[in-house]
Amino acid sequence: MKTMGFVFLLLAFFAIGVVQGQLRVGFYSNTCPDAESIVSSVVRNAAQSISNIPPVLLRLHFHDCFVEGCDGSILIENGPKAERHAFGHQGVGGFEVIEQAKAQLEATCPGVVSCADIVALAARDAIALANGPSYEVPTGRRDGRVSDVSLAANMPDVSDSIQQLKAKFLQKGLSEKDLVLLSAAHTIGTTACFFMTKRLYKFSPAGGSDPAINPDFLPQLQSICPQNGDVNVRLPMDRGSERTFDKQILDNIRNGFAVLESDARLYDNETTRMVVDSYFGILTPIFGPSFESDFVDSIVKMGQIGVKTGSKGEIRRVCTAFN
């Protein structure tokens, strides 16, 4: 009996340890009850003056999680070797919004809310502002103590093959379905012609364009991004629906209207193609699956990649510098 009692206590101890080491919804309900509303207010105010804030904050969350886990490492600014200066992070922004939220949180609850959690919460609020699904964000992340440009060398890239994309997502514990759904985040926002040059003019060694591009769409893309033109010109990633968070981008992928090469590649593979098509079946509106619900599952899952909890990491005083 004593042995059984000891085993029970041991199991209880480990169970408590596991619960404490996980993220949970409402993590700040006692220590900083206004935390989430403060972040929401900052994001909402930023979006009123800068229209592209929603896609910018959503992208920031993705890029943070894919290097060293969701730990705010991308926010650090400590010189040219900081992670945020990696080639794979080109065009990532929203840092000033995170800093504004952090400053307000420090004034209200000093030393409590992590920058990593602010990034995750801001992405959730950004999606809602673009008429996307609302969802609860498990919190309790702590901020990482490492920021190194070399660690971002293996970010997913717009020119990756479907095999490379699947492998990079699998390394982070994400499935082929997650790959499709998180790529669908491109439903809002724009990209630069810089990322289109290869697809439009140098797709093969002999030159030419990606044959997956719908012939009716190719002239439109080439008129926006002419060969040897300004690579900084921007164009919507989701044809016809760039300001609304919806599944239109998946329909565009099905019909050859994908803008980014990596999005088009989702239709090259049987497994990812089946995921894309699953949201457009005749009975889908009645029996599902639900794109919005599945996207929420995937982004919440992504938000738990490599998180630091408990005694790991730190709670930064400012998001751009280690304590």
Side-chain angles (χ1 to χ4, degrees), residues 9 13 46 57 78 100-101 130 146 171 198 204 207 212 219 226 260 279 283 290-291 312:
L9 288 172
F13 171 80
L57 292 174
N78 59 355
Q100 289 169 17
V146 176
Q171 287 172 359
K198 173 179 174 288
S204 67
L260 293 178
Y279 298 105
L283 299 178
S290 163
F291 166 70
K312 296 179 180 178

Side-chain angles (χ1 to χ4, degrees), residues 48-322:
Q48 288 175 355
S49 57
I50 308 173
S51 62
N52 71 331
I53 278 296
V56 166
L57 292 174
L58 180 52
R59 188 180 181 207
L60 177 63
H61 184 34
F62 177 86
H63 281 252
D64 182 38
C65 290
F66 258 71
V67 182
E68 289 294 289
C70 311
D71 68 349
S73 57
I74 195 172
L75 305 174
I76 293 295
E77 178 55 286
N78 59 355
K81 292 188 177 180
E83 180 199 318
R84 69 159 70 183
H85 298 299
F87 180 82
H89 289 332
Q90 284 185 97
V92 174
F95 303 109
E96 70 288 348
V97 178
I98 305 303
E99 279 298 336
Q100 289 169 17
K102 179 61 171 174
Q104 290 193 26
L105 287 165
E106 284 298 299
T108 306
C109 319
V112 174
V113 182
S114 70
C115 300
D117 273 343
I118 296 171
V119 172
L121 291 167
R124 182 269 305 275
D125 297 331
I127 291 168
L129 287 174
N131 296 315
S134 298
Y135 60 96
E136 298 278 13
V137 175
T139 45
R141 300 166 187 78
R142 289 170 66 83
D143 299 320
R145 295 192 177 104
V146 176
S147 178
D148 188 328
V149 68
S150 66
L151 297 174
N154 202 36
M155 283 293 300
D157 187 82
V158 291
S159 62
D160 282 344
S161 68
I162 187 61
Q163 289 78 18
Q164 289 172 312
L165 290 168
K166 288 165 64 173
K168 288 179 179 181
F169 273 67
L170 183 61
Q171 287 172 359
K172 302 299 179 183
L174 299 172
S175 68
E176 292 157 319
K177 183 175 182 179
D178 296 321
L179 166 59
V180 171
L181 289 159
L182 293 172
S183 296
H186 295 150
T187 180
I188 53 174
T190 61
T191 189
C193 288
F194 173 84
F195 297 106
M196 300 296 296
T197 301
K198 173 179 174 288
R199 188 174 192 221
L200 294 179
Y201 303 105
K202 303 175 182 178
F203 188 71
S204 67
S209 60
D210 181 354
I213 302 174
N214 188 301
D216 293 332
F217 191 38
L218 180 60
Q220 297 176 40
L221 292 175
Q222 291 178 327
S223 67
I224 298 170
C225 301
Q227 193 164 18
N228 302 317
D230 184 355
V231 296
N232 295 309
V233 170
R234 304 194 68 83
L235 67 161
M237 292 185 288
D238 186 8
R239 175 180 178 267
S241 182
E242 69 270 17
R243 293 189 180 277
T244 302
F245 194 99
D246 57 22
K247 65 179 182 181
Q248 176 65 41
I249 190 164
L250 297 181
D251 201 29
N252 283 338
I253 289 170
R254 298 170 78 218
N255 293 295
F257 294 111
V259 173
L260 293 178
E261 182 180 340
S262 56
D263 288 347
R265 300 288 76 82
L266 297 175
Y267 221 59
D268 289 351
N269 175 265
E270 182 179 359
T271 305
T272 50
R273 183 168 60 249
M274 287 175 63
V275 176
V276 172
D277 287 341
S278 70
Y279 298 105
F280 299 94
I282 295 174
L283 299 178
T284 296
I286 302 171
F287 298 108
S290 163
F291 166 70
E292 290 78 8
S293 178
D294 286 353
F295 176 81
V296 167
D297 289 343
S298 290
I299 196 168
V300 169
K301 182 179 177 181
M302 183 194 79
Q304 300 184 48
I305 296 173
V307 295
K308 282 80 175 170
T309 58
S311 60
K312 296 179 180 178
E314 63 184 16
I315 304 297
R316 292 183 206 143
R317 288 185 289 272
V318 294
C319 293
T320 54
F322 302 122

